[in-house]
């Protein structure tokens, strides 16, 4: 399965496009699914960004998503509008996204 990554649509106020710890994400679409990628300056700043996300969304009823955190990278993969759609998570895609993050880290 080949995944096509392209620029996504920035939506003001979107939960997974929040400014975290002063940083806005790069937004992508992969086969129609939203990815939000935060490239922090350090792992410590990424951890603070993740904490900020938790604080900003504490009262929100979030749609299904996966968060990937490695090094200075935080990425959200939004994979459904409902809990039922969230059950469709693809393990192969999960491996590809993790490999892509490792590639980004290696390129730094």
């Amino acid at each position: 399965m080949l995944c096509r990554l392209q620029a996504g649509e920035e939506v003001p106020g979107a939960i997974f496009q929040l400014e975290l710890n002063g940083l806005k994400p790069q937004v992508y679409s992969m086969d129609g699914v939203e990815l939000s990628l935060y490239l922090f300056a350090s792992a410590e700043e990424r951890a603070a960004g993740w904490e900020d996300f938790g604080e900003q969304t504490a009262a929100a009823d979030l749609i299904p998503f996966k968060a990937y955190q490695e090094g200075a990278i935080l990425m959200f993969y939004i994979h459904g509008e409902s809990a039922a759609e969230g059950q469709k998570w693809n393990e192969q895609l999960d491996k590809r996204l993790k490999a892509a993050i490792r590639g980004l880290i290696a390129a730094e």
Side-chain angles (χ1 to χ4, degrees):
M1 174 170 120
L2 181 61
C3 298
R4 294 188 178 139
L5 185 66
Q6 49 193 274
E9 181 181 343
E10 292 185 31
V11 180
I15 294 283
F16 296 100
Q17 295 181 21
L18 293 170
E19 184 173 308
L20 300 179
N21 215 32
L23 183 66
K24 291 188 174 221
Q26 296 173 23
V27 181
Y28 298 96
S29 176
M30 186 174 63
D31 294 338
V33 177
E34 181 184 332
L35 295 171
S36 294
L37 179 66
Y38 294 83
L39 300 172
F40 291 96
S42 67
E44 291 78 19
E45 287 187 28
R46 187 252 319 137
W50 176 246
E51 185 176 316
D52 189 16
F53 178 77
E55 291 170 2
Q56 290 189 57
T57 62
D61 184 20
L62 300 176
I63 61 175
F65 73 97
K66 291 263 290 182
Y68 296 90
Q69 299 184 67
E70 193 161 330
I73 296 172
L74 170 61
M75 183 177 71
F76 294 110
Y77 172 82
I78 299 79
H79 58 94
E81 295 294 327
S82 67
E85 285 180 318
Q87 299 301 318
K88 297 177 186 175
W89 180 242
N90 182 323
E91 188 173 322
Q92 184 66 17
L93 183 56
D94 185 54
K95 290 177 185 177
R96 288 181 180 173
L97 289 171
K98 288 178 183 176
I101 290 174
R102 286 191 297 275
L104 285 171
I105 291 171
E108 289 180 351

